[in-house]
Amino acid sequence: MHIIKYPHPTLRHRSKPLRRIDGGLRKMVAEMLELMYANKGIGLAANQVDLPYRLIVVNPSGDPAVKDEEHVFINPEILRSKGSAEDREGCLSLPDIYAPVKRPEKIVLSAYDLSGREVTWEIDGLYARVVQHECDHLDGVLFIDRLTPSNLLAIKQALADLELEFSGNRQRGLIPDDVRIAARLTELETART
């Protein structure tokens, strides 16, 4: 398992709901958390690790020792939002790129946990921002899609550099073509959803 980078097609894929929780899913979650911490992240969505599932892991502290802030959300859905706040965001799939993003300040989230219980959370502050960022991923939306034109212009060269790196990796055969990626995602969806 590894984190895929922009502009990998899976990042734009709308993830499918999960229908069962089993040992395979628990192993996937453990690997995602380990990868998130190893990359100094505070949230990670399944499609960032090239998986087409509605699954996110978060820990706003970024510290693996702070387990009470670590959460797994399966099939998350934002039910309500309130307020507005702007803050700087980054993304493990867009390394070293940061820009201000405006989002609701508070949200109510419904999801399933790893025990299969449906939970509803009222979240605010950084935690709400992280969850919204990761839920966006599940719908194929990146934080750069929420930038003002001037903020997008400010990171244009960094995005072009990632696109060039992706193209080079694809030419070297390190990344399959879009048809193969789509077929793989469909196969994974069929097996687990």
Side-chain angles (χ1 to χ4, degrees), residues 125-165:
L126 177 61
Y127 207 154
R129 179 169 295 277
V130 174
V131 167
Q132 289 173 84
H133 177 109
E134 301 310 330
C135 285
D136 270 356
H137 273 299
L138 301 180
D139 293 325
V141 176
L142 302 175
F143 84 95
I144 57 174
D145 300 333
R146 297 192 177 277
L147 299 182
T148 63
S150 61
N151 287 332
L152 188 56
L153 185 61
I155 63 166
K156 185 177 180 180
Q157 186 56 55
L159 293 176
D161 292 345
L162 284 174
E163 291 164 0
L164 189 61
E165 178 185 346

Side-chain angles (χ1 to χ4, degrees), residues 47 61-62 86 88 100 113 122 137 147 155 164 178 184:
N47 60 343
S61 77
E86 186 174 77
R88 195 172 87 123
D113 65 15
E122 290 186 25
H137 273 299
L147 299 182
I155 63 166
L164 189 61
D178 289 359
R184 182 182 161 277

Side-chain angles (χ1 to χ4, degrees), residues 9-39:
T10 303
L11 294 172
R12 296 299 189 177
H13 183 80
R14 186 170 170 81
S15 300
K16 300 291 187 233
L18 287 161
R19 299 283 179 229
R20 70 179 185 277
I21 298 169
D22 58 16
L25 181 63
R26 287 185 181 85
K27 182 176 185 275
M28 194 183 308
V29 165
E31 288 179 38
M32 285 176 64
L33 286 165
E34 185 179 314
L35 195 56
M36 179 184 78
Y37 293 129
N39 286 275

Side-chain angles (χ1 to χ4, degrees), residues 1 7 32 44 68 90 92 101 123 139 142 152 162-164 171 185:
M1 186 178 283
M32 285 176 64
L44 191 64
D68 62 331
L92 296 176
V101 177
I123 309 170
D139 293 325
L142 302 175
L152 188 56
L162 284 174
E163 291 164 0
L164 189 61
Q171 287 174 357
L185 293 174

